[in-house]
Amino acid sequence: MRVERVISDENDSFPVGMRVLAVDDDPTCLLLLETLLTKCKYNVTTTSQAITALKMLRENKNKFDLVISDVHMPDMDGFKLLELVGLEMDLPVIMLSANGDTKLVMEGITHGACDYLLKPVRIEELQNIWQHVIRRKKFDRKDRDGSGSQDKPYIDSSEAAGLGNVDHNGKFNKKRKDQNEDEDEERDENGHDNEDLSTQKKPRVVWSVELHRKFVAAVNQLGIEKAVPKKILELMNVENLTRENVASHLQKFRLYLKRISCVANQQANMAAALGSVDSTHLRMGTMNGLGNFHTLAGPDQIHNAAFRSFQHSGVLRRLNTPAGVGISGLPSSGLVQLSPVQNLGNTSTYQRKLQSFVIPGNHNANILQGMPMSLEFYQLQNNRAASHVGQFPSVDNTTVLPVSSISGSLIDAGCSNSPLLGVTSNSLLLEGSSQLPTLHASNLRDSVSGFPNRSTLSDFTSIAPASNQLHGSKADIQDQAFPISCNAGKIISSAPQDWNAPKKDAPYQSNVPSCSINSLRAVNGDMAQLGQCLDQNNPIFNRNVGFDFVDPLSIKCSEGENLAMEPSVIEKEGYLMVQPSRQGIYIPDNEGENFAMEPSVIEKEGYLIVQPRRQGSYIPGNLGSLEDLASAMTKQDHDKGKPTDGDFGYNDYSLRTCI
Amino acid sequence: MERNPIRRQLAIMRQSLFDQGHVDEQFVQLEELQDDANPNFVEEVVTLYYRDSARIILNIEQALERKPFDFRKLDAYMHQFKGSSSSIGAKKVKAESTLFRECCKSGNGEGCMRSFQQLKKEYATLRKKFGAYFQLARQAGPVETASRPK
C-alpha cells in the first residue's frame, strides 16, 4: 500500500504541523496529550476549558485543523462542545474519554464526532488522526477545486489502523467500515467524478419530498442492509446527485429508522410486560397532552414536573376502572411509560402516601398524585377522546410511554439533568437537553386553584408515551395544545419524610380550562430522548430537538411562571403531580376523592410506576410485571457519570409521591 | 546492562515497579515521550498527577463525609481520578478506582469506603516509590530508555 500525503493548501508537509486544539480539564491528561501530539509532529494548542476553546476557535476559524476534546468537563459537556464546533466551524472533532461505554461512544457519533478515543491515549492512535482532516477537506475540495483528480489520501492500512483504534464499539467500527468502503468506492470513481463535480459546483443538496421518496424507494428495493450509497444513487437515477449526498442522507436515514424502531420496540416491550394491562395500551393514537414525566436526575431532585391534566374526560377515569393504571386523565388506553424512577422504593411507603390522596370534586383520581408515578404504564382509556399529547422532550434515559389518547397534560419537568419524557400524540418526542423546563410547583400552584389542602406537589417527570407513530417532527407537537383540565382534585400528600422538596400547597383549581401544554422544551443534552429510552444504545434522541412548545403553562423549571393549568398538583421533590381536573375527564366514581386507592408503586431507577388501585378496581399489571418492565427498560448506567445517560430516567431521580 | 551502579539500581527499581504491578504499559509510553527535548517528562507528569489528584482525593473524602452518599458525585469524581491515574499508568490505583466505581454504581456505601481506603493506601505507596525513583533518576542523570552508546 502506498501511503500518500495529501498536499494540503496550508502546509506542504501535512500532516506535519497539523494544528490541533486539545481540550481537557485534567491537567495530567492534557500534558500527556500535548506531549503525544507534539511527538506526532502536530502543532498543538491546549486549553483546559471548553469555553476558552470555543473562544479560540471562534476568533479565527482557520486557526485549527482538528479538535480533540475530553467528554467530561466541568464547564461544558464535551458533546456540547462537539456539536458547536461541528456546527460553527465544521472542524473534525475527536472525543476522548476514560469511559468507553458503547452508549457514550454512540453519543459521540450522534453528536458528530469523527472519532472516539479511550484514555489513556496511545501515540499510535494519535498518529493517524490527520485522516479526519483530510477526509473532511476532501469533500470540500472536490467542490472547490476545478483541478483534476486527487490522489487518494487514504490508504486501506491507515483506515484500517483508524478502524482498529475504534474498537470500543462494534457498531462504530461498522460505520467506519461503511464509510471506508464508500471511500474506497469513491476512489475508483474519483477520476471522472472529480471532473463532473467540479464542473457542476453543486451547492448543497436539498432533499425534497420527491427526492426523499425516491431515496426511500431505492433503499427499500435494495433492502436496508444492503443499501449502499452507490447503488442507491444508481437506482435513484437523479441528475446532479452525488454519492456523497446520498451517503450522508443515508446515514441520517438510518438514524431515523433506528429511532423509530426503538419506539416500536419499546412499545412492544411495554405491551409484553404489561400483560394484564388492557390490551389497548400502546395504542398510539391520539395522545392528549401528556405531560412529561421526567425523572430528574441530579442531586437536586426532580424538578417540578407539571402534570397536566388531560383534557378529555375519562382521562382520569382511568383510575377507577380496572384498567386504570397510571395517570388518571389518560383517556386512551395507551400505555404511558414513564421513565423509570430512580429508586423504586417499597410500595408500602407509597401506599401510605397515597392514602391521603384526596380528590375533591371530580375526582381526578390523578394517579399521579402522590403516587410514585412510574408513569410507566398508563393505560389510557380507549374511549377517551384523545387530544393530542404534545410531545415533550424526553430526557434521555426515559422510556417512551406509549400513550394512546391522553388528554390532559403531563407534567413536564425540566431541569438540568432531569430527563423529560415527552408525550406526544403519535409520537414520542425525545429531547435531550439539559434544561428541561419543568413546571414548578410554584407554577402549578399559581395556576391551580381551589385545592384546599395540598401539602405537597409532586413533580412528575414527563411521561413519554411511546407512540407507534413516533414522529420526530416537531411540527406535530408544537401545534398541539394540551388542554389541561384540571379539576379540583385535591391532592393531599402526607409528607413523607423522604420528601425533601419544599412542600408547597398548591392551590388547585377546579375546572381548569384546558391549558395547552407546551411543556416540552428542548432539554439540552442531558435529557434522554425517547429514542434513548427505547433503546439504550441509541442516544440519537439525545439531542436538542428544538422542541419548542409554546407552553402557555410556561413550564419552565427555573422560572416561576404561572402554570396556566389547573391541575391539581402535587409537588414533591421536584415531581409535580397534577391531577387533571375533571372536565369531562374521568373521575373515579367513588369520587370519593380520596383516591384512597393504594396504588402500588414501583419506583425504580428513577421511574415511578404508579398503579392506582381502586378498591376492587383493576390493578393493571402486577407490580411484578411493571417492575420487570421497568427493569427491562431501565438500564442503569452510572458510568457515564452524567445525566445524559442513555438510560431511562435519571439515576438520581427518585420519584416520590406523597399522598 | 548498566555499568553505573546508580543506573543499575534505577533499572532495578523501575523493574520492580512493573513487577509489583504498580505501573503498567502506559508508564512505558510516558518514558518513551521523554527525550532530550523533554528530559524530565515522566517526573513532570507524575508530579502534576499527584498535585492534581490530591484535590480530587480531598473532594471524595469530603463527599464521603456527607451522608447519605451522593453516589453519582462520587462516581464522577472517581471517573476523573481514574482517568488521570490511567494516564500515568498507575495500575493498582486505577484498579482500585474501578472497584470504587462499581460500589458507587451498586450503591454500596460500605464498599465505597473500604475501597477508598485501599485506594489511598495504594496511592500513597506509589507516591513514595515514585519519589524514591525520581530522586535516584535525578542523581543518575538523564534516564535513557533506549540504549544509546555513550
Side-chain angles (χ1 to χ4, degrees):
Chain A
M1 306 269 183
R2 338 162 263 153
V3 180
E4 282 202 329
R5 294 238 196 93
V6 170
I7 310 296
S8 86
D9 297 335
E10 296 82 29
N11 187 346
D12 271 8
S13 57
F14 191 93
V16 170
M18 182 174 82
R19 298 155 308 170
V20 182
L21 176 62
V23 191
D24 193 333
D25 64 313
D26 184 326
T28 314
C29 298
L30 193 60
L31 176 58
L32 179 61
L33 191 58
E34 180 182 5
T35 314
L36 285 168
L37 290 168
T38 309
K39 196 97 182 189
C40 294
K41 308 233 187 25
Y42 301 137
N43 184 312
V44 191
T45 312
T46 61
T47 172
S48 61
Q49 303 208 320
I51 306 205
T52 315
L54 263 182
K55 206 151 64 89
M56 285 199 264
L57 288 164
R58 284 175 177 150
E59 261 169 30
N60 181 353
K61 305 235 159 147
N62 274 335
K63 215 162 146 205
F64 298 103
D65 297 309
L66 179 76
V67 179
I68 300 189
S69 166
D70 186 31
V71 169
H72 296 274
M73 290 191 288
D75 60 337
M76 186 191 292
D77 182 30
F79 291 131
K80 183 97 189 145
L81 176 66
L82 161 59
E83 259 184 3
L84 290 174
V85 172
L87 285 172
E88 294 184 26
M89 290 115 211
D90 195 29
L91 284 178
V93 182
I94 296 181
M95 301 309 292
L96 201 55
S97 177
N99 189 336
D101 267 9
T102 306
K103 261 179 281 180
L104 264 192
V105 179
M106 215 26 208
E107 244 194 284
I109 301 175
T110 44
H111 282 89
C114 56
D115 206 342
Y116 193 108
L117 302 178
L118 221 45
K119 285 188 197 174
V121 174
R122 295 193 320 276
I123 198 164
E124 297 84 26
E125 295 173 334
L126 293 176
Q127 268 162 348
N128 283 320
I129 58 176
W130 55 266
Q131 60 178 291
H132 302 292
V133 178
I134 297 303
R135 198 174 284 135
R136 216 168 260 236
K137 274 205 199 140
K138 188 174 175 302
F139 291 135
D140 288 350
R141 202 182 285 122
K142 247 195 182 145
D143 293 337
R144 276 202 312 264
D145 282 3
S147 53
S149 54
Q150 298 263 354
D151 274 321
K152 280 332 224 145
Y154 323 101
I155 302 306
D156 286 345
S157 59
S158 72
E159 284 172 343
L163 265 185
N165 290 341
V166 190
D167 52 3
H168 327 294
N169 182 358
K171 216 175 252 192
F172 191 87
N173 268 346
K174 186 171 186 308
K175 257 198 158 133
R176 295 201 51 170
K177 250 187 219 142
D178 288 345
Q179 265 183 1
N180 290 338
E181 277 167 11
D182 292 347
E183 252 110 20
D184 285 348
E185 284 182 342
E186 200 167 58
R187 195 184 305 197
D188 304 333
E189 315 161 349
N190 198 26
H192 68 263
D193 269 359
N194 261 350
E195 280 106 43
D196 293 344
L197 288 175
S198 56
T199 50
Q200 289 164 10
K201 289 246 196 254
K202 298 175 57 293
R204 249 183 116 100
V205 170
V206 172
W207 281 86
S208 65
V209 175
E210 187 53 43
L211 205 57
H212 182 69
R213 196 142 21 108
K214 280 195 177 169
F215 170 82
V216 175
V219 169
N220 286 336
Q221 193 172 336
L222 292 168
I224 188 65
E225 304 299 327
K226 293 186 135 244
V228 285
K230 192 166 174 195
K231 299 208 180 110
I232 298 176
L233 188 61
E234 286 167 8
L235 276 178
M236 283 175 72
N237 194 20
V238 171
E239 301 247 350
N240 297 347
L241 193 65
T242 69
R243 206 198 56 83
E244 293 92 66
N245 300 135
V246 177
S248 67
H249 193 73
L250 178 64
Q251 188 175 28
K252 291 184 202 141
F253 186 64
R254 281 198 184 125
L255 292 177
Y256 166 71
L257 286 183
K258 186 174 278 207
R259 224 188 316 174
I260 303 296
S261 74
C262 285
V263 179
N265 282 343
Q266 187 72 352
Q267 284 185 330
N269 287 344
M270 295 298 263
L274 277 187
S276 52
V277 176
D278 190 312
S279 61
T280 53
H281 61 264
L282 293 188
R283 197 180 55 182
M284 292 299 46
T286 48
M287 288 206 291
N288 297 339
L290 255 189
N292 291 331
F293 246 61
H294 69 92
T295 56
L296 289 180
D300 49 353
Q301 284 15 91
I302 296 129
H303 296 302
N304 311 335
F307 202 85
R308 309 211 198 161
S309 56
F310 299 101
Q311 169 182 22
H312 295 288
S313 60
V315 165
L316 294 179
R317 171 119 23 146
R318 227 14 190 193
L319 288 181
N320 275 346
T321 65
V325 175
I327 303 171
S328 58
L330 295 183
S332 57
S333 54
L335 277 181
V336 178
Q337 291 178 11
L338 288 186
S339 41
V341 174
Q342 162 117 32
N343 313 316
L344 274 184
N346 40 14
T347 51
S348 56
T349 340
Y350 291 103
Q351 289 176 354
R352 263 185 281 120
K353 294 180 196 170
L354 294 168
Q355 269 163 12
S356 46
F357 187 44
V358 170
I359 306 169
N362 44 41
H363 328 284
N364 302 326
N366 192 343
I367 302 187
L368 296 185
Q369 167 186 73
M371 296 210 263
M373 299 266 280
S374 69
L375 297 180
E376 207 145 320
F377 309 93
Y378 275 86
Q379 248 186 354
L380 303 177
Q381 266 190 338
N382 291 333
N383 48 359
R384 295 310 160 189
S387 44
H388 275 308
V389 173
Q391 277 182 341
F392 288 85
S394 60
V395 178
D396 60 351
N397 308 339
T398 54
T399 54
V400 172
L401 300 176
V403 174
S404 356
S405 54
I406 302 176
S407 61
S409 52
L410 283 186
I411 299 161
D412 90 72
C415 300
S416 49
N417 308 335
S418 50
L420 191 64
L421 278 183
V423 169
T424 61
S425 57
N426 306 340
S427 56
L428 277 178
L429 233 186
L430 294 179
E431 291 268 5
S433 99
S434 53
Q435 298 302 327
L436 199 59
T438 54
L439 273 182
H440 270 290
S442 55
N443 294 347
L444 290 176
R445 197 180 346 162
D446 297 339
S447 51
V448 175
S449 66
F451 281 69
N453 42 353
R454 41 244 119 273
S455 28
T456 58
L457 294 180
S458 342
D459 292 343
F460 277 108
T461 49
S462 56
I463 305 172
S467 99
N468 283 330
Q469 308 120 8
L470 183 64
H471 321 265
S473 68
K474 289 198 248 177
D476 289 351
I477 300 161
Q478 279 176 346
D479 299 336
Q480 284 162 7
F482 305 97
I484 301 174
S485 44
C486 306
N487 102 3
K490 228 184 325 189
I491 300 174
I492 298 193
S493 45
S494 55
Q497 308 71 326
D498 50 354
W499 281 43
N500 39 28
K503 316 228 170 100
K504 307 181 197 183
D505 285 2
Y508 294 101
Q509 291 174 358
S510 30
N511 306 331
V512 173
S514 43
C515 321
S516 54
I517 300 172
N518 295 333
S519 58
L520 291 187
R521 298 274 159 90
V523 182
N524 347 328
D526 309 306
M527 293 311 202
Q529 295 186 329
L530 192 53
Q532 257 186 353
C533 18
L534 294 183
D535 172 9
Q536 266 100 4
N537 292 328
N538 183 9
I540 288 171
F541 288 92
N542 187 11
R543 245 191 226 256
N544 281 344
V545 175
F547 240 127
D548 270 343
F549 261 68
V550 177
D551 186 0
L553 296 186
S554 316
I555 298 173
K556 207 94 155 309
C557 88
S558 44
E559 303 158 11
E561 291 163 354
N562 259 354
L563 201 54
M565 58 193 235
E566 311 155 305
S568 43
V569 174
I570 306 173
E571 175 191 288
K572 168 156 174 101
E573 295 229 320
Y575 281 92
L576 194 56
M577 295 217 287
V578 175
Q579 260 201 350
S581 61
R582 87 156 59 143
Q583 310 167 343
I585 295 187
Y586 148 77
I587 279 102
D589 297 315
N590 49 354
E591 306 0 12
E593 334 6 352
N594 215 342
F595 207 159
M597 37 177 47
E598 295 161 282
S600 36
V601 173
I602 307 175
E603 188 184 62
K604 183 174 180 157
E605 292 254 315
Y607 282 86
L608 198 57
I609 303 178
V610 175
Q611 283 184 339
R613 226 185 295 185
R614 237 168 154 275
Q615 46 261 93
S617 66
Y618 156 82
I619 290 156
N622 30 23
L623 287 187
S625 60
L626 281 181
E627 262 165 348
D628 291 345
L629 190 54
S631 49
M633 300 205 308
T634 336
K635 200 192 293 184
Q636 202 147 26
D637 175 11
H638 286 266
D639 262 356
K640 200 159 169 193
K642 54 181 205 154
T644 57
D645 268 351
D647 292 340
F648 299 126
Y650 280 80
N651 295 336
D652 297 330
Y653 180 74
S654 63
L655 185 57
R656 299 215 208 202
T657 59
C658 64
I659 294 219
Chain B
M1 199 49 191
E2 300 287 353
R3 283 163 301 171
N4 184 323
I6 298 186
R7 290 266 167 87
R8 211 179 3 233
Q9 193 182 354
L10 197 62
I12 293 174
M13 259 186 148
R14 177 183 175 277
Q15 192 55 42
S16 91
L17 282 176
F18 282 98
D19 292 343
Q20 292 175 4
H22 289 295
V23 298
D24 58 23
E25 172 62 27
Q26 179 64 18
F27 190 75
V28 180
Q29 296 265 320
L30 291 187
E31 290 178 321
E32 284 176 359
L33 286 175
Q34 184 159 296
D35 54 19
D36 289 344
N38 232 332
N40 297 314
F41 179 67
V42 185
E43 185 176 0
E44 274 173 31
V45 178
V46 173
T47 308
L48 185 56
Y49 163 74
Y50 271 100
R51 196 166 359 124
D52 184 59
S53 58
R55 182 181 48 90
I56 308 182
I57 297 266
L58 189 59
N59 286 338
I60 298 181
E61 256 168 4
Q62 288 174 344
L64 283 176
E65 277 160 22
R66 291 184 227 114
K67 306 268 193 310
F69 289 157
D70 182 346
F71 286 115
R72 200 185 62 96
K73 210 177 216 173
L74 286 171
D75 187 65
Y77 283 139
M78 192 48 78
H79 172 92
Q80 210 183 338
F81 181 78
K82 182 179 172 190
S84 356
S85 307
S86 66
S87 293
I88 67 158
K91 192 168 174 188
K92 283 193 181 171
V93 174
K94 176 176 160 187
E96 206 57 52
S97 342
T98 308
L99 282 181
F100 184 92
R101 294 190 73 201
E102 312 259 303
C103 291
C104 283
K105 271 184 258 194
S106 53
N108 179 358
E110 267 305 301
C112 279
M113 305 239 19
R114 265 180 282 129
S115 172
F116 187 60
Q117 295 309 316
Q118 186 63 23
L119 184 145
K120 280 198 288 186
K121 260 197 338 197
E122 299 290 350
Y123 178 77
T125 304
L126 184 57
R127 182 198 227 131
K128 276 201 287 259
K129 291 197 180 260
F130 271 142
Y133 177 75
F134 289 124
Q135 194 173 21
L136 198 59
R138 265 179 264 125
Q139 286 179 29
V143 181
E144 297 149 18
T145 50
S147 49
R148 244 192 309 187
K150 291 266 180 244

